[in-house]
Amino acid sequence: MAYPTVAGPYGLVPVKLRSGVPYVGQLTHYKIASAYAVDLFFGDPVKLVTGGTIQFDTPDAAMTPIGVFQGCSYTDPGSNQKVFKQYFPASTAASDIVAYVADDPNLLFKVAVVSATTTIGDLAITDIGANGTLVDNTGSTITGNSKTALSDTTATTNTLPVRIIGLVEETKNSSGGYTEAYISWNATMHAWGAILGV
């Protein structure tokens, strides 16, 4: 039987809650600072920063994600018209930039597995329950989509940002490897799960 193939990474896609309830698109609105100098793509991890705005959360062991970026709106400085975009273009200057973020700490995300940058890799059934890291790839300004992916190297290290909850059966490769996975944030990494204070 031929399985569909995964052409490349596509960011983090919210699919359901840990309880099994399907994700129905609930989002929280957060501000992006005017002229913030980093592109944000649909499916990118984002974090809350001092001042109450969000920024890109670089995928590494120091992540403190609030959720996943799902688009934005703002008054375009050129046309003076309200626009809704799949991605946030770096350095856009506007006072009303709003990001839409999937920020429920109990969300599960579907993500492509890579061996390096955007090269599709795979996981085995034994990787379920392990921790992993995300791979930062620059998203597409044409589609507006993220290219963040999951590394195919897993570990039990408790400082890694994500937990592998399951594997996607439909896109197994010809060798029986799983090229997509379902992941969740590790509880202490998510901004609402981390301990605040000293």
Side-chain angles (χ1 to χ4, degrees):
M1 176 178 176
Y3 290 96
T5 58
V6 179
Y10 48 77
L12 279 66
V13 177
V15 289
K16 61 181 176 180
L17 300 178
R18 284 179 188 264
S19 65
V21 174
Y23 175 67
V24 293
Q26 64 271 33
L27 301 169
T28 301
H29 295 184
Y30 292 93
K31 292 284 191 179
I32 299 174
S34 180
Y36 174 57
V38 176
D39 288 325
L40 294 175
F41 295 96
F42 191 93
D44 273 348
V46 290
K47 63 182 177 181
L48 190 64
V49 297
T50 303
T53 61
I54 61 148
Q55 295 181 358
F56 179 70
D57 196 3
T58 303
D60 58 24
M63 289 183 80
T64 54
I66 192 74
V68 172
F69 183 78
Q70 301 283 278
C72 65
S73 64
Y74 55 86
T75 301
D76 183 82
S79 67
N80 206 32
Q81 299 294 312
K82 188 80 165 181
V83 295
F84 296 84
K85 295 190 69 86
Q86 182 91 342
Y87 85 104
F88 169 76
S91 304
T92 297
S95 61
D96 61 346
I97 307 168
V98 174
Y100 310 121
V101 179
D103 67 347
D104 190 316
N106 295 309
L107 269 174
L108 300 186
F109 303 94
K110 186 168 77 167
V111 64
V113 178
V114 295
S115 58
T117 59
T118 60
T119 303
I120 295 298
D122 59 58
L123 296 174
I125 200 81
T126 51
D127 290 307
I128 295 175
N131 293 330
T133 57
L134 297 176
V135 178
D136 179 14
N137 298 301
T138 302
S140 169
T141 57
I142 297 171
T143 65
N145 291 334
S146 170
K147 291 186 182 178
T148 297
L150 174 68
S151 170
D152 65 2
T153 301
T154 63
T156 57
T157 312
N158 64 8
T159 54
L160 296 179
V162 298
R163 174 73 53 87
I164 297 157
I165 303 298
L167 302 168
V168 179
E169 213 41 63
E170 292 79 9
T171 50
K172 273 197 305 189
N173 60 28
S174 58
S175 302
Y178 294 85
T179 58
E180 293 178 295
Y182 297 112
I183 60 172
S184 68
W185 302 118
N186 270 328
T188 57
M189 296 295 170
H190 193 278
W192 298 146
I195 298 170
L196 186 66
V198 294

